[in-house]
Amino acid sequence: MLGYLSHCADNGRESTSVAFMYKKETMHRLMVLFRLQLATIACFGQITGTTAPIPGMFPNMFPLGTGQQFGALPVMPVQAMTQQATRHARRVYVGGLPPIANEQSVATFFSQVMAAIGGNTAGPGDAVVNVYINHEKKFAFVEMRSVEEASNAMALDGIIFEGAPVKVRRPSDYNPSLAATLGPSQPNPNLNLAAVGLTPGSAGGLEGPDRIFVGGLPYYFTEAQIRELLESFGALRGFDLVKDRETGNSKGYAFCVYQDLSVTDIACAALNGIKMGDKTLTVRRANQGTNQPKPEQENVLLHAQQQIALQRLMLQPPPVVTKVVCLTQVVTVDELKDDDEYEDILEDIRMEAGKFGQLVNVVIPRPRPDGENAPGVGKVFLEYVDTEGSSKARAGMNGRKFGGNHVVAVFFPENKFSQGEYDD
């Protein structure tokens, strides 16, 4: 065959015709071999049964039934593959559950309220397909039938379950960019939330791509002060200052969402990097990590917004000087439970605080014998004979390291201290 083709190489169209015949013959042989291989596989029972041809594919080339195998490889049903791929976007986190909650009661409740608000979009039946509860930490993961139903469930944040409001959030494995390709990432705006006693945005509206993380906040900043700073750029739709569950003290970071989403990037760029005492603010979109690029906004506008925020801070009235100083980030609850350790801490603090002036009293609230936290647990109160001593103590102890933590020192109202109201 090769010699014949070489002989015909100079014969123009005749040579082309022979080459075409050769290719056609080769393709014919390959198709015959392929069909023989398929027949051999079928004889050994590896392909059985037939199904309707898949649109756009060669009819019945691979007649596999659901769950059957091609060779040694299992074929996963399309529905199962879809459920696995969308699972992160179909689950919601439910926190703050009462102790009596169980899988059945949670599933029944959320299926009922989803139906009541018109949130079921996957057809008739219950919206909830699975519930996992962590009874120790009182939270659950609730899996919905579809991505759209999970997004609708986010509107239920703050709903009353068994007499207490629960938090409804996205789980930590939620991928916003991937979820956006699978279905709606926001609740349907036409949900009938009034049917279950909720109003749009009543729980803070702290979800979605415009959620802002505000980190590096001084621990002594109150919620009102932080809100005032953030509202320099516009009204807030939602705000949440994260606090320690045991002490109730600020953890130094918060989340917020603006009503006007167009100011999100402006606020992030203007506030990020601002110095607050010995801390520096980190302000960015919560789902974009630390490498978020600054928005392409006019420098003049950014500078103006930043100046507004700084002026508001400067105009805040100075703290009222009292004879009592409150310290946080000094002691832990566990340290206060042991009598000997408590006495050592009390003596150490009395000696250190006495360097700034004459002390009248040192109070370190301890947990109750039943394990419940008493008012002010986690704080240390120093009462001096005059404001000169308390002022020196506040200036000298604020920001110092104690046990690996930076101490926060603030003046405390004398009347509340005398009445034992330590939770201010």
Side-chain angles (χ1 to χ4, degrees), residues 68-80:
Q68 292 175 330
Q69 294 185 339
F70 183 83
L73 298 175
V75 179
M76 184 181 293
V78 174
Q79 183 180 7

Side-chain angles (χ1 to χ4, degrees), residues 196-208:
V196 293
L198 294 175
T199 56
S202 61
L206 290 173
E207 289 300 329

Side-chain angles (χ1 to χ4, degrees), residues 407-423:
V407 176
V408 177
V410 296
F411 292 115
F412 194 83
E414 295 174 13
N415 60 331
K416 291 192 174 184
F417 175 76
S418 63
Q419 296 171 11
E421 297 179 9
Y422 301 137
D423 273 343

Side-chain angles (χ1 to χ4, degrees), residues 386-408:
D386 52 35
T387 56
E388 182 181 356
S390 63
S391 298
K392 290 180 179 178
R394 180 183 178 275
M397 302 189 76
N398 187 53
R400 289 179 56 179
K401 269 200 169 185
F402 190 93
N405 297 321
H406 287 282
V407 176
V408 177

